Every structure is written in structure tokens, then in C-alpha cells.
């Protein structure tokens, strides 16, 4: 464990003056005519820099779609998506916001070692890219090893993905998403495929990574305890077409111990979220 | 270790017994050499005429390998083009299947018309016959990259070339090398067919000449040479495959054969 001071959040929860992400009346439709699917209906959301937001909601309500909008993998049908004040995918942006992304499926490249996998973004993202040849055996390598050590994978750098368990691969996946010091970290059900114990271990790892780096995190999850344990704010979404039903602040002090998940306040919060989602699903049916 | 010996010994024993039975049947039944020469006679022919056979063998090997090299280069290029876009894949695939189902003997006369009889038609036949499995395998390898991984790369603002170089090509390597051993055998078939129809050199042509003069043991000697070359090329490219794309070897049989 690193020094206690490191566990204090790097950026205070809300600084609404400087939103990193703004979704303004965003709608998303897939397809045309009768086959059209409306995935998002008039969704608005603001995320402050340095914040940790969880998106929860019934499956198919458009959570992943929001992540895809923010990372400019797709455009909204109407409304605006702003990242750091600029329309996502603004080609004129001199230095676009660096984004890291991790999915439930770790998608590590099987022909590379864990260290090489973690270093991959440094080979691609500027400004690291320019010095890839010169620093990949020294500075970048140390950087990857330090990050691996922080998530509990010290000494696994030379292993190949298939030599690791699912939990270890997911740790490496987090490292790959963070190695290039992204301003924004997008996580789409990253711990969804793990068993309960491994998942809780990774919550602690995630909390520490967030605290030490000050990265803004947008976490999509279907695990309400995960959302309540990790996030500063939980946005509950309605069934499709999705929109944000409720925005719950989560005020538990940090660093949060795992025991917190058994505290009455915590359980009450989880119950309340659960009731909201059950109601949202019932309304849709 | 015992398993390894058994794995190598069993096929060798089978081949040997086929030869022994063949020899025995010919000797016992008094089969004429014009119908079916005994294996010993074929081997003697091989030994006796080695210096005359060698240039033909070299010619066949050479046309096969040149054709194979051209086919591989074109195949990889086409595979990358077709594999990197869904639209290109759907558009070009039917055409490729159509071309590949034309019997390749049928194109030899056209090549002869264009380039005259000799080495060039043989090289080209070898090339076009081996393109298809390479294109299909490279395209499949590239097209089956996980969509999540592509999203991760795009989020890093990787260029198309970055994605091709770092993800798609390495991903396609096991498919590519698996297709090479199929392709090299096909190239071999192509060059021999072309030599048989239109050349004055090569093992295929040598067999044609030998059969028209009823030198049946020499025809069979040609067959033996072809079998030997075919097996050797297949083994070489299997070994290359194991070497180069070892990371995928835990999953066997990646190749989409035709
Ligand atoms: N490319 C697409 N084409 C058509 N429909 C889509 C596409 N992507 C997502 N959808 C639909 O949009 C809805 C929201 O999807 P998604 O954001 O992935 O939901 P989730 O909240 O489970 O992550 C789903 O109902 C899904 O069927
Ligand atoms: Mg999803």
C-alpha cells in the first residue's frame, strides 16, 4: 500500500465550473423506419473533471452507447456531446483529450507479453508515440512495470496473457487503459465476468488507482454494490429509450474500506438504487 | 518420447508396407512393367537416370516457388484489402469463390496464348492457384479481430495503419502460415499441370514424353519425384508455421482450407 496521503482524492468531487463531459439533450437512434431503435432519449449529463461517476440501469438502456458517444466511436442523432468543451471528434482539436478504455472482455493481444500489452498505447498515443523507439526499453518499460506493481502484478510483465487468470488479465487491462495517463477513463462492466472475491479485490485496486491519478472515471456496471462502493455519483437510467432518471450523490468518506459494503447506510443506498431500477424495468414492460 | 516415436514410426511403416505389398503383388502376378512397374524398378530408374532427371526436378521446383512467391504477395495484399472492410469482404468474396472454382487447367491455354509455352505459364498457373487460400485466410484473420479491441484502438486515435500493423496483421499470422502449407502444395499442382500441357521442361513434361514412348518406369519415377517434392514443401512450411506463429498453436487447425 502506498502512503496514506496518496489515498486522498486527487481532485475534489465536484467542481461544476469545469465540466469535463457534457451531454446536452442527446438522442441516439439506430436504423431507420419501422426497424429503428431509439437507444437514448434526450439524455443530459455533466461530469466534472476528476469525478468518479457510475452509470447503472436495466440492460439495453444505452449505457455502453453513452461511453461510445463520449469516446467518439459514434455520433448522436441529435444533441451535443462535449468533451473538455469541444464537440467530440472535433478534428481541429490540436490536442484531443486522452481517453483510456477497458471492457469486460480484456482483449489482451495473445502474441505480446503482459508488459508489451500494457505499453501498447504508448506506441500509439502522442506525445509518447514520438519517443517510442528511444524509450521503450527504458522509461516506458519502467512505467509499465510500476503500474503493474501497483495493481498487484509485480513480476508478471514477461508472462503471456494465457498464463494469467481472468482477474489478473483484468488488472493488466486496467494498466493498458491507464498507461498513457488518460484524462478520462471509460470502463464498461470491467469486472462483470469475475467471481465475487476477485471483483472486490479489484474494487480496492480501482479505488487506489483513481485516488492516486486524479483521472476522471465513467464506470458502467450492473452491480449496484460496485457502483455504490466506487463512485462519487451514481446515475440511474431508465429502460430503453434510456435517459437519466436520478442522479444520486454518494458521500461515504474515502478511502472506503470493503467493510463499508456491510454498513447500514450502504445497504440502504443499494436498496434504493435497486428499487429505482426495478421500477424502471416495470415501467418499460 | 514413446508417443513421438510412435507418431513418426507408424506412417513410415505404413508407406513401407504399401511398397512391399505392391512389389509382392507385381512379382507374384507377373504384372508387366508397361502396366504397373515394381517399386524397385522405379527406384532403379530414379538412380540410373538421376542426372537426366535433375534439371526437370529443378525446373519444377523453381517454377513452383516463383509462382508461390508471387501468389503469396498478391494474396496477402488482397487479403488485407478485403479483410479490413466489411463492404470489400462482402463484395469481393463471391468473385473470389467464382474464380477459384474455375479448373486451373482451363487457364493454361490462355497463358500460353499470351506468353507462349514454357516457364511463364507454369509460374502464373502456380501463382493463381495458390492465391485463394491465402486471401481467404488473411482476410478471415483480419476480419475476426474482436470489436472491443478495435474500439480500444480507435479510442487511442490509432490510425488505420497503426491498427493494421499492431493488431490485424499479427492476428492474421497464424491463419496466414496455416494457409501457406496448403498454398505451396497447390502451387506445385499448378506448375506440374501447366508443364504437362505446355512446356518442354519440368517433371510434368518429362512424364508426358516418357509415357508417349511407353517408358512406364520413368513415368512412375516422375510421380515419385513429385510426391517427394510435395511432401518436402509441406513439411518445410509446417515447420515454419510452428516457428513463427507459435502463440496460436494452442488452438489447432486455424486454417480455412478450400
Ligand atoms: N449498432 C447497433 N445497431 C442497432 N441497435 C443497437 C446498436 N448498438 C446498440 N443498439 C441497441 O441500443 C440499445 C442500447 O445499447 P447499449 O448501449 O449497448 O446498452 P447497455 O445499456 O446494455 O450497454 C440496445 O437496446 C441495443 O439493442
Ligand atoms: Mg453494455
Amino acid at each position: 500500500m502506498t502512503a496514506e496521503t496518496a489515498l486522498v482524492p486527487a481532485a475534489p468531487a465536484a467542481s461544476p465550473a469545469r465540466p469535463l463531459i457534457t451531454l446536452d439533450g442527446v438522442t441516439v437512434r439506430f436504423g431507420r423506419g419501422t426497424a429503428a431503435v431509439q437507444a437514448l432519449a434526450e439524455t443530459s449529463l455533466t461530469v466534472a473533471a476528476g469525478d468518479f461517476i457510475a452509470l447503472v440501469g436495466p440492460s439495453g438502456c444505452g449505457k455502453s452507447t453513452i461511453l461510445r458517444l463520449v469516446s467518439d466511436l459514434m455520433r448522436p442523432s441529435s444533441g451535443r456531446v462535449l468533451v473538455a468543451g469541444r464537440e467530440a471528434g472535433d478534428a481541429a482539436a490540436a490536442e484531443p483529450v486522452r481517453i483510456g478504455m477497458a471492457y469486460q472482455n480484456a482483449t489482451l493481444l495473445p502474441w505480446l507479453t503482459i508488459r508489451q500489452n500494457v505499453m501498447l498505447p504508448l506506441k500509439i498515443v502522442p506525445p509518447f508515440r514520438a519517443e517510442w523507439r528511444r524509450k521503450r526499453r527504458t522509461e516506458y518499460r519502467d512505467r509499465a512495470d510500476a503500474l503493474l506493481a501497483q495493481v498487484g502484478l509485480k513480476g508478471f510483465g514477461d508472462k503471456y496473457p494465457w498464463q494469467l487468470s481472468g482477474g489478473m488479465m483484468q488488472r493488466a487491462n486496467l494498466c493498458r487503459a491507464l498507461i498513457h495517463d488518460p484524462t478520462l477513463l471509460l470502463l464498461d462492466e470491467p469486472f462483470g465476468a469475475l467471481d465475487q472475491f476477485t471483483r472486490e479485490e479489484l474494487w480496492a485496486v480501482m479505488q487506489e488507482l483513481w485516488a492516486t491519478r486524479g483521472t476522471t472515471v465513467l464506470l458502467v456496471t450492473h452491480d449496484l454494490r460496485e457502483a455504490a462502493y466506487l463512485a462519487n455519483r451514481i446515475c440511474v437510467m431508465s429502460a430503453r429509450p434510456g435517459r437519466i432518471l436520478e442522479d444520486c450523490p454518494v458521500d461515504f468518506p474515502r478511502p472506503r474500506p470493503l467493510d463499508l459494503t456491510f454498513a447500514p447506510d450502504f445497504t440502504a443506498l443499494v436498496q434504493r438504487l435497486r428499487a429505482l431500477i426495478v421500477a424502471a424495468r416495470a415501467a418499460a414492460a | 518420447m514413446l508417443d513421438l516415436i510412435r507418431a513418426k514410426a507408424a506412417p513410415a511403416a505404413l508407406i513401407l508396407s504399401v511398397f512391399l505389398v505392391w512389389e509382392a503383388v507385381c512379382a507374384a502376378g507377373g504384372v508387366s512393367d508397361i502396366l504397373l512397374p515394381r517399386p524397385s524398378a522405379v527406384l532403379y530408374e530414379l538412380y540410373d537416370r538421376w542426372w537426366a532427371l535433375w534439371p526437370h526436378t529443378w525446373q519444377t521446383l523453381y517454377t513452383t516457388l516463383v509462382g508461390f512467391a508471387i501468389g503469396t504477395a498478391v494474396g496477402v495484399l488482397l487479403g488485407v484489402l478485403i479483410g479490413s472492410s466489411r463492404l470489400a469482404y462482402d463484395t469481393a468474396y463471391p468473385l473470389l469463390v467464382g474464380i477459384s472454382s474455375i479448373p486451373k487447367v482451363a487457364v493454361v491455354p490462355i497463358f500460353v496464348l499470351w506468353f507462349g509455352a514454357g516457364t511463364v505459364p507454369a509460374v502464373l498457373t502456380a501463382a493463381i492457384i495458390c492465391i485463394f487460400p491465402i486471401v481467404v485466410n488473411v482476410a478471415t484473420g483480419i476480419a475476426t479481430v474482436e470489436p472491443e479491441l478495435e474500439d480500444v484502438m480507435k479510442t487511442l486515435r490509432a490510425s488505420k495503419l497503426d491498427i493494421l500493423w499492431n493488431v490485424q496483421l499479427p492476428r492474421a499470422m497464424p491463419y496466414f502460415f496455416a494457409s501457406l502449407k496448403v498454398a505451396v502444395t497447390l502451387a506445385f499442382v499448378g506448375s506440374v499441370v501447366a508443364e504437362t500441357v505446355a512446356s518442354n521442361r519440368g517433371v510434368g513434361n518429362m512424364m508426358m514424353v516418357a509415357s508417349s514412348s511407353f517408358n512406364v518406369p520413368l513415368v512412375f519415377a516422375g510421380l515419385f519425384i513429385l510426391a517427394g517434392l510435395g511432401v518436402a514443401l509441406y513439411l518445410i512450411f509446417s515447420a515454419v508455421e510452428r516457428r513463427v506463429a507459435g502463440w496460436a498453436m494452442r488452438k489447432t487447425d486455424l486454417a480455412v482450407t478450400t
Side-chain angles (χ1 to χ4, degrees):
Chain A
M1 185 113 300
T2 49
E4 277 300 298
T5 50
L7 287 176
V8 175
S15 56
R18 200 163 59 90
L20 180 67
I21 304 171
T22 312
L23 268 66
D24 185 9
V26 168
T27 64
V28 170
R29 267 183 307 278
F30 291 105
R32 286 198 194 85
T34 50
V37 173
Q38 175 129 22
L40 285 180
E42 289 284 320
T43 304
S44 296
L45 170 72
T46 334
V47 178
D51 214 347
F52 197 133
I53 310 283
L55 280 175
V56 298
S59 81
C61 72
K63 303 181 295 291
S64 303
T65 303
I66 291 185
L67 295 195
R68 295 176 64 81
L69 286 168
V70 169
S71 56
D72 192 34
L73 290 169
M74 59 181 283
R75 296 290 170 83
S77 308
S78 67
R80 292 197 311 158
V81 179
L82 299 177
V83 178
R86 274 190 296 256
E87 199 98 23
D90 183 354
E95 198 176 316
V97 169
R98 282 208 292 269
I99 299 178
M101 196 162 204
Y103 286 96
Q104 175 172 331
N105 175 2
T107 64
L108 298 174
L109 305 177
W111 57 89
L112 298 181
T113 63
I114 295 302
R115 184 187 296 109
Q116 289 168 330
N117 266 291
V118 169
M119 284 160 66
L120 183 66
L122 299 179
K123 193 174 177 185
I124 289 163
V125 177
F128 305 101
R129 180 189 182 110
E131 293 183 296
W132 168 254
R133 273 169 197 290
R134 205 157 55 76
K135 292 190 175 167
R136 66 178 159 168
R137 288 183 215 290
T138 53
E139 198 185 310
Y140 291 175
R141 189 192 155 96
D142 296 343
R143 193 185 170 101
D145 285 347
L147 198 50
L148 283 168
Q150 198 184 356
V151 302
L153 284 181
K154 197 179 167 75
F156 283 89
D158 291 314
K159 294 264 190 290
Y160 284 87
W162 50 272
Q163 295 172 300
L164 268 59
S165 67
M168 289 164 142
M169 282 200 242
Q170 211 43 262
R171 285 169 202 252
N173 192 16
L174 284 178
C175 291
R176 184 177 66 184
L178 285 168
I179 188 84
H180 56 298
D181 254 334
T183 315
L184 177 59
L185 177 62
L186 303 176
L187 302 173
D188 198 341
E189 305 190 2
F191 314 126
L194 306 177
D195 63 85
Q196 191 64 38
F197 294 106
T198 313
R199 192 180 307 172
E200 287 174 359
E201 270 168 35
L202 278 165
W203 293 353
V205 168
M206 192 59 238
Q207 173 172 239
E208 198 203 311
L209 285 172
W210 174 72
T212 51
R213 297 177 152 254
T215 309
T216 312
V217 182
L218 200 50
L219 167 74
V220 165
T221 178
H222 55 247
D223 182 343
L224 300 176
R225 294 171 66 240
E226 179 170 301
Y229 176 81
L230 281 172
N232 287 340
R233 253 172 79 199
I234 301 174
C235 296
V236 182
M237 294 181 65
S238 69
R240 197 181 73 204
R243 66 203 160 74
I244 291 171
L245 282 180
E246 183 137 339
D247 199 330
C248 306
V250 185
D251 301 321
F252 305 115
R254 295 189 188 261
R256 298 174 182 166
L258 258 180
D259 291 350
L260 174 67
T261 60
F262 300 106
D265 295 6
F266 188 92
T267 327
L269 174 63
V270 172
Q271 287 296 349
R272 194 158 79 78
L273 294 169
R274 212 182 117 72
L276 282 168
I277 291 177
V278 169
R281 288 182 47 145
Chain B
M1 190 61 209
L2 209 65
D3 280 352
L4 191 72
I5 294 174
R6 197 174 298 150
K8 301 266 178 209
L14 179 66
I15 293 170
L16 198 67
S17 23
V18 167
F19 280 152
L20 286 177
V21 170
W22 176 358
E23 184 83 32
V25 168
C26 287
V31 181
S32 139
D33 263 3
I34 302 278
L35 267 181
L36 181 66
R38 285 168 295 132
S40 57
V42 176
L43 287 177
Y44 178 77
E45 195 73 20
L46 264 179
Y47 164 78
D48 191 39
R49 304 239 191 170
W50 179 244
W51 292 113
L53 288 172
W54 169 244
H56 292 295
T57 308
W58 172 245
Q59 168 76 11
T60 301
L61 186 63
Y62 161 78
T63 44
T64 301
L65 290 180
V66 173
F68 172 67
I70 295 172
T72 306
V74 176
V76 169
L77 266 174
L78 282 179
V80 168
L81 279 178
I82 290 174
S84 23
S85 124
R86 181 81 231 173
L87 183 68
Y89 196 88
D90 292 342
T91 314
Y93 206 83
L95 179 68
L96 271 173
V97 174
I99 292 177
S100 81
S101 56
I102 300 171
K104 299 306 173 303
V105 204
V107 300
V108 180
I110 302 175
F111 287 147
V112 174
L113 204 65
W114 290 345
F115 303 103
T119 308
V120 179
V123 167
L124 289 180
T125 313
I128 67 156
I129 205 172
C130 75
I131 284 177
F132 187 69
I134 295 177
V135 173
V136 172
N137 279 283
V138 171
T140 307
I142 288 180
T144 51
V145 168
E146 297 98 322
E148 291 97 337
L149 183 56
E150 250 183 81
D151 283 357
V152 168
M153 296 297 285
K154 284 185 191 153
T155 307
L156 297 172
R157 294 176 194 281
S159 65
K160 277 217 174 334
L161 198 66
D162 284 333
I163 298 182
L164 181 70
W165 191 248
N166 290 295
V167 177
Q168 294 175 320
L169 278 184
R171 176 80 173 65
M173 277 303 112
Y175 293 84
F176 170 66
F177 282 102
S179 72
L180 279 190
K181 64 184 185 212
V182 179
V184 80
T185 343
L186 286 177
F188 190 55
V189 172
S191 59
V192 172
V193 164
E195 281 168 3
T196 312
V197 179
S199 181
N200 43 16
R201 268 185 301 168
V203 178
N205 170 259
M206 184 277 288
M207 286 166 70
M208 283 302 286
V209 173
S211 82
S212 60
S213 61
F214 296 101
N215 188 348
V216 184
L218 188 58
V219 175
F220 273 81
L223 269 187
F224 276 32
I225 292 175
L226 292 182
L229 279 181
V231 170
L233 289 174
Y234 183 88
L235 289 180
I236 289 170
F237 283 94
S238 298
V240 170
E241 178 190 359
R242 269 198 300 280
R243 267 267 143 117
V244 181
W247 62 264
M249 267 302 170
R250 291 168 306 117
K251 310 178 204 129
T252 46
D253 279 342
L254 269 173
V256 182
T257 48
T258 46

